Amino acid sequence: MKIVDAKVVVTSPGRNFVTLKITTDDGLTGLGDATLNGRELSVVSYLRDHVVPLLIGLDPHRIEDIWQSLYRGAYWRRGPVTMAAIAAVDVALWDIKAKAAELPLYQLLGGASRERVGTYGHASGRDLPELFDSIRQRLAQGYPAVRVQTGVPGLKTVYGVGGSAAAAADAGSVSAHPRPVVEDWDTAAYLRHLPSVFEAVRSEFGAELPLLHDAHHRLTPIEAARLGKDLEPYRLFWLEDCTPAENQEALRLVRRHTTTPLAIGEVFNTVYDYQTLVTEQLIDYVRSAVTHFGGVSPLRKLFDFAAQYQIKSAIHGPEDISPVGMAAAVHLDLAVHNFGIQEYSGHTPLTERVFRHAYTFTDGHLHPGEAPGIGVELDEELAAAHPYDPAYLPVNRLQDGTVHDW
Ligand code: EZ4
Ligand code: CO
């Protein structure tokens, strides 16, 4: 078998998605997600200008060899643009291999290790009544676990909190924000307020509901240690991205002070970003997405590495991972032994028409379905009717104007 065509499709059915479609001489096609939120066109160029020409004529079955040649052959390794581009190739090739075998991808990854894939959904509110309504909505949708984000008194907009312009941009409401929205931030106010929110949520919803929280890289190590300690009475499922974590050693300090489980990694793109975190058991969940980590091949290796340290998977699954990236994730989730949880936000009805998929979401659980490959079909005509629309993620500033981590 030979690759005869590879094309990059950019579409914005409400938010931007970048998709690679590879075609072989016997008519098989494979899809891969290359969406890098807010920097989409850089990956489009990387693929169109530098990767597609190299793919034509290659044997699509040689996934590992093609992956290594794109990674090592470029000389310039790692980074989100490179790894999103390589991810799209990797997933499209796995899609083709599984279609050629007439099997759903999870069968090639060792088969199902479980019946279905547990998820968590996002709840948020500017105040407690709004937050409680949001949690109730997620529970009504069947979500078995809920991520809780809250407004902070004195701040206008906070990451992940519904109703804010920043939340709209995060969710990908594109044309309204051709330049980044600015959020405001005050760490001391957040650290004072958050434990009281979890106390209220626990007394309203009981001890059993798994609760998660995303600190979105905003804390210093000692602040993160304090927060983890203060949240211990509420038994979180995890505290996510408590520090920026480029400095992996910083997590030693956090870990020394708290038993709140820690999850990190949605902005990481290779196993090297996790080396200290995993070997020193400084975290409990690895959070990378198939789309930003170079594909199914390296993410599987990361999960196997993490398994040696009893660390579990928790694939990033926001709206900016396309249904193609989500499908690949769900196949991996079903197959790996050390699965932890899958983040799942779903997509708009229009997005679900552009990308028709075999995976299903029922009673808060995902299943990849039994279609050969990853089980996603791209409607190219509908995709073309919704062209690229410039959009940026928000930036974050302290109240004196200093730029802060977002
Ligand atoms: O802000 O995917 O856990 N999920 C998150 C996401 C990220 C976006 C960035 O593109 O933190 O909502
Ligand atoms: Co996150």
Side-chain angles (χ1 to χ4, degrees):
M1 206 179 353
K2 275 191 174 16
I3 296 171
V4 293
D5 188 38
K7 71 171 169 181
V8 185
V9 176
V10 187
T11 181
S12 184
R15 66 161 316 113
N16 292 311
F17 295 111
V18 177
T19 309
L20 177 69
K21 180 178 179 181
I22 296 180
T23 305
T24 68
D25 55 356
D26 52 9
L28 289 177
T29 59
L31 298 176
D33 178 26
T35 308
L36 187 61
N37 201 3
R39 295 291 185 274
E40 295 86 358
L41 298 186
S42 57
V43 192
V44 173
S45 164
Y46 194 109
L47 283 168
R48 267 187 196 150
D49 298 333
H50 304 293
V51 172
V52 165
L54 304 180
L55 294 177
I56 308 303
L58 299 185
D59 175 0
H61 277 309
R62 297 184 62 178
I63 301 175
E64 183 68 18
D65 183 66
I66 292 173
W67 195 98
Q68 297 294 344
S69 71
L70 291 175
Y71 181 77
R72 293 170 201 281
Y75 188 67
W76 310 108
R77 299 180 190 190
R78 308 168 64 180
V81 175
T82 297
M83 299 314 287
I86 296 178
V89 175
D90 182 82
V91 172
L93 296 180
W94 276 110
D95 193 16
I96 288 169
K97 189 186 280 296
K99 282 179 182 170
E102 296 180 32
L103 289 170
L105 174 60
Y106 75 84
Q107 295 290 12
L108 303 193
L109 301 174
S113 284
R114 57 196 49 78
E115 302 303 318
R116 54 187 193 159
V117 169
T119 68
Y120 70 92
H122 295 178
S124 70
R126 281 163 293 194
D127 52 23
L128 285 178
E130 199 177 276
L131 175 59
F132 287 4
D133 282 351
S134 175
I135 295 173
R136 280 191 200 99
Q137 269 178 34
R138 294 296 167 245
L139 296 178
Q141 287 171 296
Y143 278 103
V146 182
R147 188 189 81 169
V148 170
Q149 304 298 128
T150 170
V152 175
L155 296 183
K156 292 189 290 294
T157 54
V158 173
Y159 164 74
V161 177
S164 73
D170 186 25
S173 150
V174 282
S175 9
H177 307 295
R179 294 186 66 79
V181 169
V182 179
E183 283 190 352
D184 56 344
W185 184 248
D186 178 342
T187 300
Y190 164 79
L191 292 178
R192 275 195 308 273
H193 184 61
L194 194 65
S196 71
V197 171
F198 275 93
E199 184 173 23
V201 170
R202 273 285 171 237
S203 65
E204 180 73 13
F205 294 93
E208 286 172 23
L209 177 63
L211 297 174
L212 300 79
H213 179 72
D214 192 346
H216 227 246
H217 325 275
R218 292 175 180 207
L219 306 177
T220 65
I222 199 67
E223 290 164 351
R226 159 62 62 202
L227 181 63
K229 220 169 181 176
D230 287 348
L231 293 176
E232 277 172 23
Y234 314 113
R235 299 290 162 111
L236 265 59
F237 185 92
W238 78 38
L239 172 61
E240 175 181 342
D241 286 335
C242 61
T243 72
E246 283 113 323
N247 176 13
Q248 297 182 48
E249 289 80 4
L251 269 295
R252 290 182 189 139
L253 191 149
V254 183
R255 197 65 154 175
R256 212 174 284 143
H257 288 287
T258 182
T259 56
T260 294
L262 302 174
I264 285 183
E266 68 186 44
V267 302
F268 290 176
N269 46 67
T270 69
V271 68
Y272 305 106
D273 301 322
Y274 284 105
Q275 213 160 25
T276 302
L277 296 178
V278 168
T279 56
E280 296 188 20
Q281 290 177 277
L282 302 179
I283 58 173
D284 302 280
Y285 296 90
V286 293
R287 294 271 301 128
S288 289
V290 173
T291 304
H292 302 133
F293 203 74
V296 164
S297 304
L299 198 53
R300 174 62 192 257
K301 293 174 191 175
L302 172 70
F303 292 162
D304 289 347
F305 172 49
Q308 313 309 310
Y309 300 87
Q310 291 177 282
I311 296 170
K312 292 184 177 175
S313 77
I315 297 180
H316 192 210
E319 298 89 337
D320 48 284
I321 298 295
S322 85
V324 173
M326 182 56 61
V330 181
H331 283 277
L332 203 45
D333 290 334
L334 197 73
V336 295
H337 176 253
N338 57 328
F339 168 75
I341 198 165
Q342 173 66 54
E343 183 180 33
Y344 182 67
S345 301
H347 293 97
T348 63
L350 181 59
T351 301
E352 306 245 329
R353 280 170 54 219
V354 172
F355 300 94
R356 285 186 311 276
H357 55 79
Y359 67 81
T360 51
F361 179 68
T362 317
D363 299 331
H365 291 75
L366 289 157
H367 191 282
E370 301 300 335
I374 62 169
V376 184
E377 297 295 328
L378 173 65
D379 183 334
E380 291 185 53
E381 221 169 283
L382 193 56
H386 299 279
Y388 173 72
D389 202 351
Y392 290 94
L393 284 163
V395 296
N396 196 23
R397 288 184 187 274
L398 303 180
Q399 286 172 324
D400 70 357
T402 309
V403 170
H404 194 66
D405 295 294
W406 187 77

